[in-house]
Amino acid sequence: MIKSFFTSTTYGHTKELIQYADRVYDEKEFNEDVILQTAAPLASKLSMGVVDERTVRAAAGITMLGAIIVFCVAYFYGAFLPITLFSTYSFIDFFLRVFVGVQYSPSLYIGRFIIRNLLGQQPDWVSAIPKRFAWSIGIILTGTVTLLFWSGNNGLTSQLICLVCVLFTWMESTLGYCAGCHIYKLLKLEPERCQGDSCSRIL
């Protein structure tokens, strides 16, 4: 059951996609592009749950910025209420992503608005299932630190977990490296449904 939860290709935005030259396009976008149409015989269709990598990285950057601010407030001024509230928000945000749906995450919503509306960038679709695994790790980390902060434990353990969270979000937003996704690959989890070898190529 747990493996099925982390391998279901219906998680995320279910879209009809076209993969060509290591890039994934929305089928409508691909069909409307005259230049891409010449490569249609070399392209392959995908049907799976995806997320926009640019939106995910933007959301990670937003989370990182907020975490740094509240961490500095706690460290330099001894005010732990902001970091307690922010860790609670982060836990809820990750919980919504993993168990309810990516479209209900406030951070992803803001990230999508920035990427699509303010910057005018096109989505960069990637498989959603490794992200779900990574965000589940986020639930564990933020859930743990939230419990510690609300119980009044503001010591080294809580601060170290916060620093780990900041490090992970920094790697995601700045380097485009998803630590949780890397762990997912090391565990050799495979999607329960895959069209040809497309899932392995899109991960």
Side-chain angles (χ1 to χ4, degrees):
M1 181 177 178
I2 295 178
K3 183 177 180 180
S4 176
F5 182 78
F6 290 118
T7 57
S8 173
T9 54
T10 59
Y11 173 75
H13 301 288
T14 304
K15 288 183 172 290
E16 296 297 324
L17 304 169
I18 302 291
Q19 183 161 358
Y20 169 69
D22 296 326
R23 173 81 191 276
V24 178
Y25 301 87
D26 186 283
E27 186 174 30
K28 182 180 179 181
E29 174 194 353
F30 187 89
N31 292 333
E32 291 177 350
D33 192 305
V34 178
I35 298 177
L36 288 175
Q37 275 299 294
T38 61
L42 302 176
S44 58
K45 283 192 174 184
L46 304 174
S47 181
M48 61 187 304
V50 292
V51 291
D52 177 17
E53 177 67 13
R54 293 190 174 101
T55 294
V56 171
R57 292 180 65 176
I62 294 168
T63 303
M64 178 189 68
L65 179 61
I68 290 175
I69 292 173
V70 296
F71 184 83
C72 289
V73 170
Y75 185 81
F76 291 108
Y77 298 99
F80 285 90
L81 181 59
I83 198 170
T84 302
L85 294 175
F86 187 80
S87 64
T88 304
Y89 159 78
S90 298
F91 171 76
I92 295 173
D93 187 64
F94 280 124
F95 185 90
L96 290 173
R97 296 185 197 187
V98 172
F99 293 104
V100 182
V102 292
Q103 64 270 32
Y104 298 103
S105 161
S107 296
L108 289 177
Y109 181 85
I110 297 171
R112 182 166 57 252
F113 177 81
I114 293 173
I115 294 298
R116 306 276 183 87
N117 298 80
L118 298 184
L119 301 180
Q121 295 186 5
Q122 294 298 317
D124 181 15
W125 300 115
V126 296
S127 178
I129 45 178
K131 298 292 186 184
R132 188 182 213 179
F133 181 84
W135 294 333
S136 297
I137 297 175
I139 288 178
I140 296 172
L141 292 175
T142 57
T144 301
V145 78
T146 297
L147 287 174
L148 289 173
F149 280 136
W150 280 114
S151 63
N153 188 336
N154 305 323
L156 183 61
T157 301
S158 303
Q159 295 175 31
L160 286 176
I161 296 175
C162 288
L163 288 176
V164 170
C165 293
V166 170
L167 177 63
F168 282 174
T169 54
W170 175 78
M171 289 192 297
E172 176 82 70
S173 62
T174 307
L175 304 179
Y177 177 79
C178 174
C181 301
H182 186 72
I183 296 173
Y184 180 91
K185 291 181 180 180
L186 291 177
L187 293 175
K188 299 185 184 302
L189 294 171
E190 296 292 340
E192 64 180 17
R193 291 190 295 104
C194 190
Q195 186 172 343
D197 64 344
S198 58
C199 294
S200 61
R201 286 187 281 117
I202 194 174
L203 291 179

